[in-house]
Amino acid sequence: MDCVPALWRETFHLHHYQDWLMMGISRNCGYIVEYENGVQMVINDKSGSKTEKMNVAVVGNHVPRQCGLATFTADVAHWLGNGLGRDSDVFVVAMNDREEGYDYPPVVKLELQASDPKDYPKAADFVNLSGVDLVCLQHEFGIFGGLFGAYITDFLRDLTKPVITTAHTVLPEPKPERREVLSQIAAYSDAIIVMSRKCIDFLEEYYGVPRSKVHLIHHGVPDMPFVDPDEYKAKCGLLGKKVILTFGLLHPRKGIEYVIEAMPQVCSRFPDAVYVVLGATHPPYKRREGEKYRFALQARARELGVEDNVLFYDRFVTLEELTEFLACCDIYVTPYLDRNQVASGTLAYALGLGKPVISTPYYYAEELLSEGKGMLVDFCDPEGVSSCVLELFENPDRLARMRQDAYSFGRKMIWKEVSKEYVKLFSKVLAGRKPESVTEVLHKQAITLRDLPTPRLDYLLRLTDQTGILNKAYFDIPDRAGGYTTDDNALALAAAVLSHLQTGDRAGLEAARTYLSFLRYMQLPGGLFHQKLNYDKSYGDETGDEDCQGKALSGLGITVALEADRGLLSFAKSIFDDAMQGSNFEHPRGIAYAICGCYHYLTRFKGAHNASSFMVEMAEKLSEAYRRESTSGWNWYEDYLSYANGVLPRAMLLSYMATRDEKYREIALESLEFLTKVSYDGEIFDLVGDQGWYPRDGEKATYKQLPIEAASLATVYVDAYVVERDERYLSLARSAFEWFLGKNLINKPLFDFASFSCSDGLLRHEVEPNRGAEATIHWLLALLRIQTVLHIERIETGREPLVYV
């Protein structure tokens, strides 16, 4: 099938593809198409013989992008195309990491900017309407946009095709954010392919994926003859040398320095030994650090007197060059430093081509090199490396046996065999599925897919000057007379950091610097914060209240947890640490915000004793307040409900997630049910108003209803879903979020799509015309929190949406 990718590269117009598909749907070039056990077959009109027909979209990245996964994706697409034959269509959806893209071959029919969240739903539309039977996702966290690559779940959410995911990285004990992303990818997938048995264990234990859903298929390798290394050494300029080889994109995690440190001992026994380091520096690392690592390795070789025995080939090699270097090497080494590595294309290639391997004991190497197929040495152990190298060079018979054993095992890893396993799994997944017609796809897309607005900081930036974000606005005009507040700037900091991570907009990064600088200016020597700063830069108070201190910790904690910029991270951590030491919370709402901040902080620094102790202390205070104030019919932490009420049960949920203490979970869910009964009538949220709040044994105030309350509810319901996996909480989160969009008492939206600002509140007959910082910040935080969870009409696939934690 011939697709029309040029249309996509300019803009995406659904009707172009509708017309194109409708025109092409009955054209089979002399073949009749039917389904047999759910798998499409092609019947030749003349012979009547049947061959399997399967159209596959492979999603990943692709050469000429310099990345191991790009090579893997290209190989998968090539060999699937070969195996399925000319009547099948296999094409690639490629992720770009730069605006100008790459000069791709024709097999790439669709390009996405990985950092642009708008591209992912559009890509799903393209694939749904391209006549594919199945999508094969090559998953690595780093190639997709959003936090831990979360944007890819928007693509998966909107697909109407079965999905088989190859998981290239599966980490044990993952951060909650990483766990949620991969868990949701697994939920959207009909099957998951892994390359080591350890991944099956990890997926079950840490991500809740049933073993029956996971399939082990080896990493593919080229099909090369079994050759004598000496036959190829002259071609590589290594005639007469004993060749030790490592290849792949250079990065400090590779551990190359430990092989270099082993070379003096090796060369003292075998002066003709050379260590070849083949490959360019990893592009993202090179953009950040240049050739710092390569230069350090070269300097170390000179210091040890082995610079003539360590050869660097600084380029991204072709497959032909790679196989020639592999053919001429005597020993292959993977000295990697990451124990959790569960796949390695370089190790697979070396083993598949019959190379004796010495490796550190990362999980994939332990498994692949078992039963004498290789030798393992400890991490960071040059003595171990030299000992193994010498043992093999001094025992040619053992070296030859290892070569033969490796090559024999590698025959099952050649791409021809691996692609057969892929096709076999694809057929199994497709079996029994009823194919959807193009009309059904178009109808479903037309009536059920409406995107949430893409987060933008435009209005926050309008309120922000070189000092910080201004507290008030008259309509949408910044009101400088209102000055600045710590809590606004702390939560604006969180919004800016999250927005930068979600969208890649550098304006978020620059705004974060301003807000963080403001917080430092507002911090007293003992760690507490002023709350108010006048426009003339004079302080407006002696010190802020507990809510101010707690919100400061909350915004700083998110920054510590998620910010990649070292300057911002270090500064935020320093301010957080000082604030935590100076704080003494007694009131529930301040305590709750402080717990949220500590939870986020601990996701980055799990072993931070002070933060962990402080969080437990605060959790105990909040649970004690609940036990003290809660009675039958009043399951709450205080004798009144005021604003941001959702943050209190949220703090208890986060305490449970951090400690697994069941009492925190029970308190959280019990108090959340009470808050739901108070605020939700079964159709819309009728929030506690600020003109009297809601005292125990009193009347609930109806107006003015505040955005901070709706945002706190949307957020806590998402957390409740994370803990309980109860779809009811997702429905409540959606309804709370829709309060901003007009699903409220007066049926009027508070959010303005044109300016990306939010009204300060809901009045009896209208929305408040002023649009200050607090309202827009909390709208934006709610949107960032659930944009990958909620969309207005979900496709009823039975798959769970992504939850951002």
Side-chain angles (χ1 to χ4, degrees):
M1 175 180 283
D2 183 23
C3 195
V4 282
L7 290 172
W8 167 261
R9 297 178 188 191
E10 295 176 8
T11 184
F12 180 85
H13 295 296
L14 196 61
H15 63 272
H16 289 308
Y17 298 105
Q18 182 175 352
D19 295 342
W20 164 64
L21 282 169
M22 291 303 183
M23 287 188 296
I25 201 164
S26 62
R27 298 179 186 173
N28 289 300
C29 304
Y31 291 82
I32 301 170
V33 178
E34 68 175 34
Y35 281 81
E36 184 174 289
N37 296 323
V39 179
Q40 200 171 13
M41 310 295 289
V42 177
I43 307 174
N44 189 304
D45 280 348
K46 297 178 180 179
S47 68
S49 62
K50 294 184 180 182
T51 58
E52 191 168 69
K53 180 180 187 299
M54 194 183 300
N55 298 330
V56 180
V58 184
V59 181
N61 47 17
H62 197 283
V63 293
R65 181 171 171 179
Q66 295 183 2
C67 169
L69 189 66
T71 303
F72 187 92
T73 304
D75 286 337
V76 167
H78 172 77
W79 284 99
L80 284 176
N82 278 5
L84 290 169
R86 67 183 182 90
D87 298 313
S88 296
D89 182 34
V90 178
F91 67 85
V92 173
V93 177
M95 300 290 149
N96 285 335
D97 61 346
R98 61 187 191 185
E99 288 292 331
E100 64 271 26
Y102 296 88
D103 184 18
Y104 291 117
V107 70
V108 176
K109 292 187 176 180
L110 186 64
E111 301 175 41
L112 281 73
Q113 286 299 327
S115 61
D116 188 346
K118 298 188 296 297
D119 275 9
Y120 291 83
K122 294 175 182 177
D125 288 337
F126 179 94
V127 170
N128 288 334
L129 300 173
S130 294
V132 304
D133 300 298
L134 181 141
V135 174
C136 180
L137 173 68
Q138 300 304 315
H139 179 261
E140 180 63 78
F141 290 97
I143 73 167
F144 305 109
L147 182 64
F148 290 108
Y151 289 168
I152 191 60
T153 59
D154 292 339
F155 169 79
L156 297 174
R157 175 198 68 200
D158 293 347
L159 282 178
T160 59
K161 307 297 181 181
V163 177
I164 293 178
T165 296
T166 303
H168 290 260
T169 296
V170 182
L171 295 178
E173 300 180 358
K175 289 183 177 181
E177 298 89 349
R178 186 188 293 271
R179 180 180 64 245
E180 287 302 324
V181 170
L182 188 52
S183 295
Q184 294 306 318
I185 290 170
Y188 283 128
S189 301
D190 295 78
I192 299 171
I193 295 171
V194 296
M195 291 170 243
S196 74
R197 290 182 179 81
K198 203 71 177 178
C199 288
I200 302 175
D201 298 334
F202 288 165
L203 284 168
E204 180 181 48
E205 180 176 357
Y206 298 105
Y207 301 88
V209 181
R211 301 177 79 88
S212 59
K213 197 173 190 176
V214 188
H215 304 264
L216 176 66
I217 299 179
H218 285 295
H219 192 299
V221 302
D223 186 2
M224 291 287 291
F226 188 66
V227 297
D228 186 335
D230 290 337
E231 296 176 11
Y232 278 79
K233 287 180 180 178
K235 195 169 186 179
C236 296
L238 297 170
L239 186 63
K241 303 293 185 181
K242 292 189 178 298
V243 180
I244 306 161
L245 174 67
T246 295
F247 84 88
L249 295 174
L250 211 57
H251 189 282
R253 292 194 302 268
K254 300 286 187 175
I256 304 296
E257 59 269 33
Y258 298 104
V259 184
I260 293 175
E261 289 173 8
M263 287 304 292
Q265 190 171 348
V266 171
C267 294
S268 68
R269 177 69 180 83
F270 295 97
D272 57 347
V274 293
Y275 178 38
V276 176
V277 181
L278 177 64
T281 299
H282 200 282
Y285 176 81
K286 187 174 181 177
R287 285 195 292 270
R288 293 193 311 269
E289 304 288 344
E291 293 290 359
K292 177 177 161 182
Y293 182 54
R294 185 183 300 276
F295 293 159
L297 295 176
Q298 291 170 337
R300 185 59 176 148
R302 285 193 299 272
E303 290 172 9
L304 295 170
V306 292
E307 64 269 30
D308 293 334
N309 300 86
V310 179
L311 308 179
F312 291 88
Y313 290 81
D314 180 11
R315 63 179 185 273
F316 191 79
V317 296
T318 65
L319 178 61
E320 182 181 0
E321 290 176 304
L322 172 59
T323 52
E324 287 175 356
F325 272 99
L326 277 169
C328 79
C329 91
D330 298 290
I331 297 174
Y332 188 77
V333 184
T334 61
Y336 305 158
L337 304 181
D338 185 358
R339 167 70 170 161
N340 294 324
Q341 187 163 339
V342 291
S344 169
T346 67
L347 177 57
Y349 272 39
L351 198 67
L353 271 65
K355 296 295 143 180
V357 177
I358 299 170
S359 177
T360 50
Y362 53 93
Y363 288 123
Y364 186 62
E366 274 189 329
E367 188 171 314
L368 211 59
L369 301 181
S370 61
E371 300 177 354
K373 293 190 291 293
M375 302 176 74
L376 297 177
V377 299
D378 287 338
F379 296 102
C380 311
D381 182 11
E383 291 80 11
V385 173
S386 61
S387 176
C388 288
V389 170
L390 291 173
E391 183 176 345
L392 291 177
F393 280 162
E394 290 170 352
N395 293 276
D397 290 344
R398 183 177 181 189
L399 191 69
R401 283 197 306 274
M402 285 181 67
R403 288 183 59 229
Q404 185 62 60
D405 291 346
Y407 188 78
S408 298
F409 179 82
R411 301 315 292 159
K412 67 178 73 172
M413 299 170 66
I414 61 173
W415 273 114
K416 183 178 179 180
E417 299 303 318
V418 167
S419 63
K420 289 178 183 177
E421 294 299 311
Y422 269 74
V423 171
K424 188 186 301 182
L425 179 58
F426 291 177
S427 299
K428 180 179 178 182
V429 167
L430 287 172
R433 278 182 170 263
K434 178 184 177 181
E436 268 187 319
S437 70
V438 173
T439 303
E440 290 171 329
V441 172
L442 291 171
H443 178 68
K444 184 177 287 187
Q445 294 288 320
I447 65 174
T448 65
L449 289 181
R450 289 195 285 151
D451 292 331
L452 289 170
T454 300
R456 287 173 21 217
L457 297 180
D458 304 37
Y459 190 71
L460 287 196
L461 297 178
R462 182 189 300 180
L463 297 179
T464 301
D465 61 18
Q466 63 183 4
T467 300
I469 190 166
L470 291 156
N471 175 240
K472 296 180 179 179
Y474 183 78
F475 285 75
D476 61 354
I477 304 168
D479 183 0
R480 286 169 171 76
Y484 315 83
T485 65
T486 287
D487 54 8
D488 282 348
N489 278 270
L491 296 179
L493 171 65
V497 167
L498 286 165
S499 178
H500 177 241
L501 284 170
Q502 295 269 13
T503 68
D505 184 357
R506 289 196 61 82
L509 192 63
E510 294 308 311
R513 299 184 195 281
T514 299
Y515 303 141
L516 192 58
S517 177
F518 177 89
L519 293 179
R520 183 65 188 93
Y521 184 73
M522 296 296 281
Q523 191 169 35
L524 291 155
L528 296 178
F529 296 90
H530 293 285
Q531 164 67 346
K532 179 71 185 249
L533 183 71
N534 299 319
Y535 188 67
D536 64 4
K537 309 302 186 292
S538 62
Y539 296 116
D541 54 31
E542 294 284 334
T543 185
D545 61 12
E546 288 189 17
D547 285 11
C548 159
Q549 313 303 326
K551 288 176 183 175
L553 286 172
S554 181
L556 289 163
I558 287 175
T559 306
V560 169
L562 303 178
E563 184 51 62
D565 182 273
R566 290 183 61 83
L568 282 169
L569 168 61
S570 177
F571 203 18
K573 181 180 182 299
S574 174
I575 298 171
F576 184 100
D577 291 343
D578 290 345
M580 184 175 58
Q581 295 299 324
S583 298
N584 182 24
F585 292 93
E586 297 298 335
H587 297 93
R589 198 162 276 90
I591 290 172
Y593 276 115
I595 289 172
C596 294
C598 287
Y599 172 83
H600 290 298
Y601 183 100
L602 289 166
T603 62
R604 185 157 206 155
F605 300 115
K606 186 175 182 180
H609 175 74
N610 289 343
S612 180
S613 299
F614 184 73
M615 181 178 181
V616 171
E617 179 188 349
M618 293 299 101
E620 285 299 303
K621 282 188 176 183
L622 191 57
S623 62
E624 178 55 34
Y626 182 81
R627 285 191 289 268
R628 185 174 61 249
E629 296 292 339
S630 178
T631 61
S632 177
W634 188 265
N635 305 112
W636 201 241
Y637 308 80
E638 303 169 292
D639 61 0
Y640 62 92
L641 280 83
S642 57
Y643 80 101
N645 292 298
V647 75
L648 280 78
R650 180 177 189 233
M652 287 284 87
L653 281 172
L654 296 185
S655 298
Y656 165 72
M657 291 171 71
T659 66
R660 295 298 166 180
D661 190 328
E662 192 65 29
K663 71 182 178 186
Y664 298 144
R665 173 179 167 274
E666 292 172 359
I667 291 172
L669 297 179
E670 190 174 84
S671 59
L672 183 56
E673 285 306 306
F674 171 72
L675 182 58
T676 303
K677 289 177 182 177
V678 168
S679 307
Y680 186 60
D681 67 5
E683 293 185 3
I684 64 170
F685 273 88
D686 178 9
L687 308 179
V688 175
D690 72 351
Q691 297 171 11
W693 304 120
Y694 183 16
R696 191 198 311 252
D697 301 326
E699 295 294 323
K700 183 181 84 166
T702 302
Y703 300 103
K704 167 172 114 179
Q705 296 185 15
L706 302 177
I708 190 174
E709 177 71 359
S712 75
L713 286 165
T715 301
V716 71
Y717 288 130
V718 170
D719 286 321
Y721 171 75
V722 171
V723 172
E724 297 297 305
R725 287 297 190 270
D726 185 341
E727 291 278 345
R728 170 174 168 263
Y729 290 122
L730 285 181
S731 178
L732 288 166
R734 179 172 56 233
S735 293
F737 185 77
E738 289 173 346
W739 178 91
F740 288 99
L741 304 176
K743 192 176 177 181
N744 50 48
L745 278 182
I746 65 172
N747 297 313
K748 292 186 178 180
L750 287 84
F751 171 65
D752 177 58
F753 282 82
S755 64
F756 216 87
S757 64
C758 183
S759 163
D760 284 349
L762 195 70
L763 304 177
R764 187 175 299 276
H765 300 297
E766 63 180 350
V767 297
E768 167 71 53
N770 297 332
R771 297 172 177 275
E774 180 186 277
T776 299
I777 290 167
H778 283 93
W779 147 259
L780 188 58
L781 286 171
L783 174 62
L784 287 162
R785 172 74 172 157
I786 65 172
Q787 68 166 343
T788 49
V789 183
L790 306 175
H791 57 121
I792 306 305
E793 298 288 346
R794 291 178 58 203
I795 294 178
E796 297 301 326
T797 61
R799 298 164 175 166
E800 296 175 350
L802 173 71
V803 177
Y804 168 76
V805 181

